[in-house]
Amino acid sequence: MKITIIAVGKLKEKYLKQGIQEYVKRLGAYANIDIIELPDEKAPENMSDAEAEEVKRKEGDRILSKISTDTYIISLEIMGEMLTSEELARKMDNLATHGKSKIAFVIGGSLGLSKEVTDRSDFALSFSKMTFPHQLMRLVLVEQVYRAFRINRGEPYHK
Ligand SMILES: C[S@@+](CC[C@H](N)C(=O)[O-])C[C@H]1O[C@@H](n2cnc3c(N)ncnc32)[C@H](O)[C@@H]1O
């Protein structure tokens, strides 16, 4: 399985970098994993709604340019659907069974994802109704993807 994580915005915090690196290393035993970090668009203070939409649209274009048409997209959206870890594991297993071996998880920048990205997305995944910073979201996501593979392999993992 090929897993790509596409994230807008630079990962700055050392502790997050280390945590993500650790899970990416562990995930290497189960899947081909790649993280694509895209630059965020300069967002002026006190932007109008139209300016904010333009920022998201530009970031969205960058995101979509990295995704091939045969890729199943899971966008991370606060208002998306909440799953248990087991449900996410089952979803990923079902995708693999049905020949969908390329999955891209997409994390937006500080303003979120553009309509173009959410429209193209195959599944909107919410981690809760709370807003997480995009850098932290990346760490939580890689841990949950790792957990999903462990669950699907029937391997022991903390409950
Ligand atoms: C700082 S948040 C963006 C907040 C923005 N106001 C919005 O509504 O999307 C940055 C990105 O992290 C991800 N994110 C943050 N909290 C999330 C949550 N609870 N569930 C799923 N994704 C989340 C989303 O991809 C979001 O685009």
Side-chain angles (χ1 to χ4, degrees):
M1 193 160 224
K2 166 108 181 102
I3 306 280
T4 307
I5 294 174
I6 302 178
V8 175
K10 211 170 165 45
L11 193 60
K12 294 181 185 132
E13 305 295 342
K14 196 171 162 206
Y15 73 99
L16 290 173
K17 280 186 188 166
Q18 285 172 339
I20 290 165
Q21 241 168 30
E22 176 59 31
Y23 281 111
V24 166
K25 190 175 85 189
R26 292 188 198 182
L27 268 165
Y30 304 97
N32 179 341
I33 174 136
D34 192 19
I35 298 187
I36 300 177
E37 185 176 272
L38 297 172
D40 49 10
E41 196 57 29
K42 292 253 173 314
E45 290 280 309
N46 304 320
M47 267 179 299
S48 64
D49 288 351
E51 284 171 321
E53 286 308 312
E54 185 58 12
V55 166
K56 287 199 282 184
R57 194 192 55 74
K58 285 184 181 164
E59 292 175 347
D61 286 351
R62 281 180 204 142
I63 292 169
L64 293 176
S65 75
K66 299 290 177 193
I67 303 175
S68 59
T69 48
D70 58 346
T71 298
Y72 187 92
I73 302 184
I74 299 182
S75 51
L76 271 65
E77 299 180 37
I78 297 163
M79 300 311 285
E81 193 175 327
M82 282 184 243
L83 301 180
T84 64
S85 297
E86 289 77 11
E87 284 168 340
L88 177 63
R90 211 172 310 128
K91 183 167 189 60
M92 288 171 58
D93 199 41
N94 282 340
L95 287 170
T97 306
H98 291 95
K100 284 273 177 199
S101 58
K102 292 187 196 169
I103 304 179
F105 289 90
V106 181
I107 303 173
S110 56
L111 300 179
L113 293 166
S114 69
K115 185 171 176 339
E116 289 76 9
V117 174
T118 57
D119 283 352
R120 164 67 179 85
S121 171
D122 296 290
F123 186 79
L125 175 64
S126 173
F127 277 80
S128 87
K129 288 181 187 167
M130 293 180 182
T131 302
F132 297 107
H134 61 85
Q135 296 189 56
L136 181 59
M137 203 62 257
R138 218 189 290 188
L139 175 60
V140 175
L141 174 64
V142 284
E143 191 280 334
Q144 284 298 309
V145 172
Y146 173 66
R147 187 180 286 264
F149 279 106
R150 299 280 295 191
I151 291 169
N152 286 338
R153 294 278 182 100
E155 291 172 353
Y157 200 64
H158 293 294
K159 296 282 176 207

